[in-house]
Amino acid sequence: MAFTLPELPYAHDALEALGMSKETLEFHHDIHHKAYVDNGNKLIAGTEWENKSLEEIVVGTYQPGAVAQNGIFNNASQHWNHNLFWEIMGPTGKEIPAKLEEALVAAFGSVEKFKEDFAAAGAGQFGSGWVWLVKDKDGSLKITKSENGVNPLCFGQTALLGCDVWEHSYYIDFRNKRPAYLSNFLDKLVNWDAVAAKL
């Protein structure tokens, strides 16, 4: 199944007042994400993966324990990761729905503690990668982080929230201040309705 670049679910300038500029979205979505789509399509053409779903490709090409993943995985996983990233941000959904708030309090003690732990995990991810709120196989909520494009699908987890901590995600707006970007992401950019829908 060919990869396709999704349209953003909001205008390129819709998050500007919330800390993610039009320029960032033009670079990040229109150039970076598109490159994963284009490269992924070239790599799967004529292979056993050509007609598989994106999720099947991610899970099927992941190599546990590998220091570096293969090209098909890298492009497929980053395509999947970015699809989620655009979806769980937005100019609306700034109140955390009760069901999600209850789950966060049960798992982390408070919403503030969840945000603190999530931001710390993202700031502590060495180099490029992602930080996640996941529902694990046993139903519990956990914060995880992953290198490069590795994502929760690889471990049988459900991703509820994911934040891209590759530098291109925040450098235009925050320069090298990753902790400030993460705090802003949680406080202003997340559409909590979209996150709660994944519970």
Side-chain angles (χ1 to χ4, degrees):
M1 183 183 300
F3 301 169
T4 54
L5 182 69
E7 292 289 327
L8 286 172
Y10 32 79
H12 282 77
D13 61 358
L15 306 181
E16 194 115 42
L18 304 174
M20 186 169 282
S21 64
K22 179 181 179 184
E23 185 181 11
T24 288
L25 283 172
E26 287 171 342
F27 274 96
H28 198 174
H29 174 270
D30 302 359
I31 298 173
H32 281 283
H33 189 172
K34 185 174 186 302
Y36 296 128
V37 169
D38 293 345
N39 292 332
N41 282 330
K42 286 177 194 163
L43 289 167
I44 65 171
T47 73
E48 63 184 295
W49 305 108
E50 190 169 24
N51 297 308
K52 302 286 189 184
S53 71
L54 181 58
E55 289 76 14
E56 286 173 318
I57 296 169
V58 170
V59 173
T61 60
Y62 175 63
Q63 298 172 311
V67 174
Q69 295 295 322
N70 60 80
I72 291 178
F73 173 83
N74 287 334
N75 286 281
S77 65
Q78 283 288 65
H79 178 36
W80 189 91
N81 294 350
H82 283 83
N83 287 347
L84 177 88
F85 189 54
W86 311 132
E87 182 190 332
I88 52 83
M89 291 191 294
T92 60
K94 300 308 159 194
E95 294 294 321
I96 299 179
K99 179 182 166 189
L100 177 59
E101 184 172 356
E102 287 166 17
L104 292 173
V105 170
F108 303 102
S110 68
V111 171
E112 282 312 307
K113 184 69 167 74
F114 154 70
K115 288 184 175 183
E116 185 183 311
D117 290 354
F118 186 94
Q125 170 56 40
F126 180 74
S128 300
W130 291 75
V131 57
W132 309 93
L133 171 66
V134 303
K135 184 159 70 172
D136 215 342
K137 287 177 266 193
D138 63 2
S140 63
L141 297 192
K142 292 179 180 167
I143 293 165
T144 65
K145 57 185 179 177
S146 59
E147 73 280 0
N148 300 318
V150 175
N151 66 44
L153 287 180
C154 303
F155 311 107
Q157 299 165 325
T158 302
L160 306 180
L161 177 67
C163 185
D164 188 346
V165 297
W166 288 57
E167 204 168 63
H168 64 242
S169 184
Y170 57 88
Y171 197 82
I172 290 169
D173 301 317
F174 290 92
R175 294 299 183 255
N176 62 340
K177 298 181 177 71
R178 189 191 286 183
Y181 157 73
L182 285 157
S183 294
N184 185 77
F185 172 79
L186 292 166
D187 291 338
K188 297 183 179 179
L189 290 170
V190 174
N191 176 346
W192 294 105
D193 292 331
V195 177
K198 296 182 179 302
L199 262 181

